[in-house]
Amino acid sequence: MVMTSTGPDRDTVLDALRLAIRAPSVHNTQPWGWRVDGRAVLLYADPSRQAPATDPSGRDLVISCGAALHHLLVALAAAGWGGRVRRLPDPDRPDHLATVELGPHATSGADAELARAIPLRRTDRRRFTSWPVPGELIGGMAELAESQGLTLHAVTEPKPRWRLYQAIAAAAEVQEADPAYATEIDRWSGRAALAADGVPAANTPSPHPVPGRMPMRTFAGPALTETATSGEPENAALLLLSTPADTPTHWLRAGEVTSAVLLTATRAGLAASPLTQPLEVENTRGYVRDHVLAAKTTHPQILLRIGWPPPGAGALPATPRRPLKEVVVVDR
């Protein structure tokens, strides 16, 4: 790879990509590929890693890649490099999701803090406490979404929260009746510690009911023991991210905003997990749009559950990642 005096060296770019691939992805499929070409980093979707029974449209795949793109931009900014991003730059290559053209960037303290949050972030499916998430933090997350042309809606009232509960339960019933979905869950979850992808058994608790908690997806071989509590109900913030249109470009943006919200939550000491099941089945997705958002002109893309972990819950193990050499090609 040829670098000029105004571009980052190879090690800086590779270090940023090591943080980028820490992004969350549907079933930890890690459906991305990268190419480093001079002073540009190209992001591609890897359709061979799509989970078609869970994600038939490929929407979750592109959202996952968008989260990795934002992780990359955060890591580069913390290292003193910015990127002009061209999203879906080639109409003849729909798998080419973005090109990041690198240039100098004045690093801020916020850049460094977000980058430090990347290796700490986990998808935490354990129960949360009854402590409320500060309204000003949710407001800041909503502004992050608005700055990208998206809407982050906090579902706070009892009736829409009940409707979300019903939508998640209905979607789970539909999916679990599908043998292809059962096979897919068995393939991508219950993984041993040395696996390079998928959802580890050590990171998934049994999906038993918890007062106040939304239903959780059932994964294979759950082996995570939850911290004993006094039985207080969970009080998670439920944040529904939506877009004005339902195109791959909007899915990519939704992933970028999801990354920004999750890293902001991690930096504040909060835990988070996605609740995407009601948006993976078209009927329940429509129900969420019409009866939770009450807006037929917007498109829900991802639901995030954010809250305070119980005292003494302990850090979750990092979920595995594929080696960098499997997902990155460096042009020479």
Side-chain angles (χ1 to χ4, degrees):
M1 176 171 60
V2 177
M3 288 291 186
T4 70
S5 58
T6 57
D9 60 40
R10 169 178 168 158
D11 288 345
T12 298
V13 175
L14 293 180
D15 285 345
L17 284 166
R18 287 187 183 93
L19 289 178
I21 66 173
R22 292 301 317 166
S25 60
V26 55
H27 299 344
N28 194 26
T29 51
Q30 304 166 50
W32 44 65
W34 307 85
R35 194 174 108 224
V36 184
D37 181 10
R39 289 180 56 199
V41 180
L42 287 68
L43 169 62
Y44 295 89
D46 182 351
S48 72
R49 303 185 75 80
Q50 184 176 347
T54 302
D55 179 30
S57 68
R59 181 174 59 244
D60 285 349
L61 183 152
V62 176
I63 290 173
S64 300
C65 289
L69 173 60
H70 181 263
H71 270 43
L72 174 69
L73 296 174
V74 167
L76 287 169
W81 298 99
R84 174 178 175 261
V85 182
R86 291 186 289 127
R87 294 167 181 83
L88 280 84
D90 186 351
D92 295 327
R93 289 289 309 272
D95 62 327
H96 181 188
L97 297 180
T99 294
V100 181
E101 298 170 349
L102 305 178
H105 168 80
T107 301
S108 69
D111 293 331
E113 288 179 8
L114 277 187
R116 284 194 292 269
I118 290 176
L120 301 176
R121 186 209 60 80
R122 303 284 188 272
T123 295
D124 195 336
R125 302 174 183 87
R126 296 173 294 185
R127 72 178 308 280
F128 299 155
T129 70
S130 61
W131 308 337
V133 177
E136 60 272 19
L137 188 62
I138 294 173
M141 293 172 176
E143 285 199 356
L144 281 173
E146 288 174 11
S147 71
Q148 300 300 315
L150 278 62
T151 301
L152 189 69
H153 175 67
V155 184
T156 56
E157 296 300 318
K159 184 180 288 186
R161 286 177 76 98
W162 171 246
R163 288 172 173 168
L164 272 180
Y165 188 103
Q166 294 291 86
I168 294 171
E173 184 176 354
V174 170
Q175 288 181 325
E176 290 168 7
D178 179 3
Y181 176 80
T183 299
E184 193 168 87
I185 287 293
D186 285 344
R187 176 191 174 193
W188 286 108
S189 64
R191 294 296 182 89
L194 297 179
D197 55 14
V199 181
N203 290 68
T204 52
S206 298
H208 59 274
V210 170
R213 184 169 73 180
M214 291 287 145
M216 305 296 287
R217 193 192 301 272
T218 300
F219 289 105
L224 176 62
T225 301
E226 299 205 58
T227 303
T229 67
S230 60
E232 62 182 10
E234 177 173 287
N235 188 20
L238 298 176
L239 307 180
L240 186 55
L241 183 65
S242 61
T243 57
D246 199 26
T247 68
T249 301
H250 289 89
W251 302 345
L252 193 68
R253 286 285 196 182
E256 294 176 69
V257 172
T258 295
S259 167
V261 169
L262 293 177
L263 293 181
T264 299
T266 300
R267 184 176 62 178
L270 290 156
S273 63
L275 296 172
T276 55
Q277 266 190 309
L279 309 182
E280 293 163 359
V281 175
E282 281 307 308
N283 285 347
T284 52
R285 188 181 186 217
Y287 177 85
V288 169
R289 180 196 63 216
D290 296 343
H291 297 284
V292 178
L293 290 175
K296 295 181 184 296
T297 57
T298 194
H299 302 271
Q301 302 296 352
I302 191 165
L303 174 65
L304 299 172
R305 163 183 170 261
I306 294 176
W308 297 103
L316 289 169
T319 49
R321 289 298 182 273
R322 301 157 67 195
L324 203 65
K325 64 183 179 181
E326 290 189 10
V327 296
V328 176
V329 174
V330 179
D331 290 350
R332 301 184 185 279

